[in-house]
Each structure stands twice: as structure tokens, then as C-alpha cells.
Amino acid sequence: MIGNYFSKDKIEKAQQNKMHPEYRDWKVIVVQDKKEAFRLLDTFIKQVISFTSILFVFLIILGLKFSEVFTKPIKELSIGAGIIGEGDLSYRVAIDSEDELGQLADSFNRMAEDLERTTTSIDNLHREISERKCAEEKQARLLIQLENANRELKDFAYVVSHDLKAPLRGIGTLAEWIATDYADKLDED
């Protein structure tokens, strides 16, 4: 019956009857308190709980670090989108990785460059249109000034021509009188 547990009464009876034939095969009978018997198991359970708690805390810290590794690039992309959305098209996201987040950051930066280039082209186009409108307005003003100057010149030429015709007519008339009066004294040249 080795390995079976007996109650305290049976153990005391067995101690009193050491020579009883029923108990001759026994070599050692150990009496031990339940706390003492399970002390090693309790110690082991406490060690397992301590180790598991430490491992749990370590895994939580490790999980937080890993989540930071994954969320940091996403936060940078989010911040970059906000900055570009506010109009700073020169902003670039600095994520140096070869994974999907790195590829997303590269695509994001290329998109920002294209948007900046397109916006710059549109700005240049607006500036060129504005410059052309100014040049056309200046040309129109100069054309009006030229037309006014030509009109004034035409009016001046008319007045000068009219003013010169009257004295010339008078001189022409005088020359005809002289030619008529002195025709016999003047030669044909």
C-alpha cells in the first residue's frame, strides 16, 4: 500500500502496532503536515505566477514599442497630409523604410511634388496671363494715344495747309499780274 494516504488515526495505529503483519512490508511511514507537503508546489506556483507576470509586463512593453514602430510612420503621413492640405506644397514626409509604409510615403512625396509642379505651372500661367493683359491694356492705351496724335497731326496739317494756301494764292495772283504787266519785258524762262 505504498503511495496511499491514510488518515491520522490509521497512522497512529500503525505506529503502535509496529510488528503487525499487515504493516510489515512498509519501510518508512512519513507523517507530514499538508502545508509542508505542498510547500514546494506552492513555491513553484508562486514562481510561475511571478514569471508570467514579468513576461506579461515585458510583452506589453514590447507590444507598445512595436505599435510605435508601426504607428509613427502613419502619424507622420497624417501630419504631412495636414501640412500639404494647408498649402505648404514643399513639405516632404521622411520615412526611410522598404515596407509598405515606406512605399506609401514615397508615393505621397511624389504626389506632393506633382501637385507643387502643377500649382507652380498654374501660378506661372496666371502670372503670364496677367502680364499679357497688362501688355494688351498698355497697347490699347498707346493705340488711343497714337490715334489722337494722328488726328491732331491731321488737324494741324489741315490748318497749316489752309493757312499756307491763302498767302500762296495771293503770291500766285501777284505773279500772274506781274507776268501780264511785264510780259513783253520778260523772257519765257
Side-chain angles (χ1 to χ4, degrees):
M1 305 211 91
I2 295 177
N4 289 336
Y5 291 102
F6 294 102
S7 66
K8 209 173 189 182
D9 294 336
K10 279 192 172 183
I11 294 172
E12 287 174 4
K13 192 175 182 184
Q15 286 175 343
Q16 291 170 358
N17 299 322
K18 287 184 183 177
M19 298 310 273
H20 192 276
E22 185 181 335
Y23 299 108
R24 273 192 198 148
D25 293 343
W26 285 32
K27 305 281 184 217
V28 175
I29 296 178
V30 177
V31 177
Q32 197 174 21
D33 187 35
K34 189 176 181 181
K35 270 187 175 180
E36 191 176 326
F38 290 107
R39 186 184 61 199
L40 187 60
L41 183 61
D42 287 341
T43 304
F44 177 72
I45 289 173
K46 286 177 185 175
Q47 287 175 348
V48 167
I49 290 172
S50 297
F51 177 74
T52 305
S53 299
I54 291 171
L55 183 63
F56 183 70
V57 169
F58 175 73
L59 289 176
I60 287 176
I61 292 171
L62 188 63
L64 290 173
K65 289 296 180 182
F66 273 128
S67 70
E68 183 179 318
V69 165
F70 291 116
T71 59
K72 183 180 177 189
I74 294 172
K75 285 180 184 177
E76 288 181 23
L77 282 169
S78 176
I79 290 169
I83 291 172
I84 289 176
E86 290 174 358
D88 183 5
L89 300 178
S90 64
Y91 183 81
R92 300 294 178 266
V93 177
I95 298 176
D96 295 328
S97 68
E98 299 297 321
D99 60 359
E100 290 83 3
L101 290 173
Q103 292 172 356
L104 180 62
D106 289 341
S107 296
F108 184 84
N109 288 337
R110 279 194 306 274
M111 178 195 68
E113 288 172 12
D114 292 343
L115 188 59
E116 183 179 25
R117 209 173 315 121
T118 302
T119 304
T120 301
S121 296
I122 290 172
D123 290 343
N124 288 340
L125 185 61
H126 285 303
R127 190 182 73 248
E128 187 176 326
I129 289 171
S130 176
E131 288 173 357
R132 284 187 181 191
K133 283 183 179 180
C134 287
E136 287 174 359
E137 289 172 3
K138 185 176 180 180
Q139 184 180 16
R141 284 192 307 268
L142 289 174
L143 185 60
I144 290 171
Q145 288 176 354
L146 181 62
E147 288 173 353
N148 289 339
N150 280 342
R151 193 175 326 106
E152 289 174 4
L153 185 60
K154 188 176 178 184
D155 292 344
F156 177 74
Y158 177 77
V159 168
V160 167
S161 143
H162 180 54
D163 288 349
L164 286 178
K165 280 184 185 177
L168 287 175
R169 268 190 240 130
I171 294 173
T173 305
L174 183 63
E176 283 178 17
W177 290 344
I178 293 175
T180 333
D181 289 343
Y182 295 104
D184 54 346
K185 295 183 185 171
L186 294 174
D187 58 5
E188 288 191 28
D189 284 333

